[in-house]
Amino acid sequence: MKSLSLCNISKTYFDPYAGAHVTAVHDVSLTVRQGEFVSIVGPSGCGKTTLLNMIAGFIPVSAGEILLDGRAVNGPGRERGVVFQSFALFPWKTVLENVAFGPKMCGMAGTECNRIAREYLDLAGLSHAADRYPNELSGGMQQRVGVVRALANNPEVLLMDEPFASVDAQTRMTLQEELTRIWQERKPTVIFITHDVGEAIFLAERVVVLSKGRVLREIDVPLPRPRSWDTLIDDGAFKALSATVLQLVREA
């Protein structure tokens, strides 16, 4: 089975303000199975985003190696899609053109690019917005476009860096439910960075807690799917998992 493997990776950089080298990620080893949804939580400054940026290939590792299906990750690649906290949509392109952009850059014909884009827009319930521009959409709709734009490239791994942090609580819950539905249908491998413990558990099959650049603990999430907030918000197992993870984060 294909997998993403982090093998004793570390990241050290020079902090000019402190006048010293700082280790942001220290000796992290983690394996993510194909089609698995893993959430990573931890306090601010624990190395979550640095870890994701190394997996994305945006920054190099200082030690260790990252392997995707046995191949070393040495830079960005289309097999890894990234969804950022900011919507990062092209404001001069329509929703359809934004989602079709990745397949177009891969050399696909225009008709095929549009077919793929419409397929994913339909998956996310956005078909009605295909000809609209980003500034005509709500924040929640813009972030849904950002998610399906990444998925339209058919990445082996989808990396998500607090993608729902900038929307209101109700919209955030809706986006979480939509993401878990899309994941169940398409089963991409997902690594999801968040500060929100409830969000991490609701979405994932496994939660990784980071502390000071190290893996503090990995916790399986055996909650049944499909998941909705209506059924989970008062669920005893969900509450117990949330309490356990929150305590770990507070101690990290």
Side-chain angles (χ1 to χ4, degrees), residues 6-240:
L6 281 56
C7 308
N8 304 106
I9 65 169
S10 297
K11 181 61 183 179
T12 302
Y13 63 92
F14 182 76
D15 184 347
Y17 297 102
H21 284 85
V22 176
T23 300
V25 174
H26 184 77
D27 196 31
V28 167
S29 293
L30 180 69
T31 297
V32 181
R33 301 181 303 275
Q34 182 182 17
E36 186 178 16
F37 198 124
V38 173
S39 292
I40 300 179
V41 298
S44 296
C46 73
K48 299 186 299 296
T49 295
T50 299
L51 189 65
L52 183 135
N53 284 334
M54 286 192 288
I55 298 170
F58 297 152
I59 58 176
V61 301
S62 299
E65 63 178 349
I66 300 173
L67 301 174
L68 180 57
D69 303 335
R71 308 184 305 270
V73 171
N74 294 313
R78 66 180 299 269
E79 72 280 358
R80 282 156 289 136
V82 184
V83 180
F84 301 99
Q85 183 173 336
S86 61
F87 307 133
L89 301 176
F90 299 124
W92 61 90
K93 291 182 179 291
T94 65
V95 166
L96 180 68
E97 291 168 340
N98 265 282
V99 178
F101 180 78
K104 182 179 179 181
M105 290 299 98
C106 294
M108 292 185 183
T111 53
E112 180 65 6
C113 293
N114 287 343
R115 184 196 66 77
I116 292 171
R118 290 189 185 280
E119 175 186 339
Y120 278 94
L121 288 174
D122 183 61
L123 181 66
L126 289 167
S127 296
H128 66 285
D131 296 324
R132 295 165 67 180
Y133 288 88
N135 66 353
E136 300 177 286
L137 307 179
S138 67
M141 289 179 70
Q142 288 185 54
Q143 196 58 295
R144 284 156 67 191
V145 175
V147 171
V148 296
R149 182 177 66 173
L151 286 170
N153 289 322
N154 195 29
E156 295 180 40
V157 180
L158 184 62
L159 305 169
M160 308 186 76
D161 190 7
E162 299 191 67
F164 306 148
S166 61
V167 298
D168 64 86
Q170 183 174 347
T171 301
R172 187 168 184 160
M173 293 172 76
T174 299
L175 290 171
Q176 290 160 0
E177 290 179 335
E178 289 190 353
L179 177 58
T180 190
R181 176 182 59 79
I182 291 170
W183 174 81
Q184 277 191 263
E185 184 166 332
R186 295 302 170 99
K187 282 295 177 74
T189 303
V190 179
I191 298 178
F192 190 99
I193 303 295
T194 182
H195 280 95
D196 188 316
V197 168
E199 177 174 73
I201 294 169
F202 179 85
L203 291 170
E205 295 180 289
R206 181 161 47 116
V207 175
V208 177
V209 182
L210 286 190
S211 174
K212 300 180 178 66
R214 301 174 184 267
V215 173
L216 179 62
R217 189 168 165 188
E218 299 179 35
I219 298 174
D220 290 330
V221 181
L223 300 173
R225 294 185 187 271
R227 296 175 187 169
S228 72
W229 281 112
D230 287 342
T231 57
L232 277 189
I233 199 163
D234 292 320
D235 183 82
F238 175 78
K239 288 182 176 180

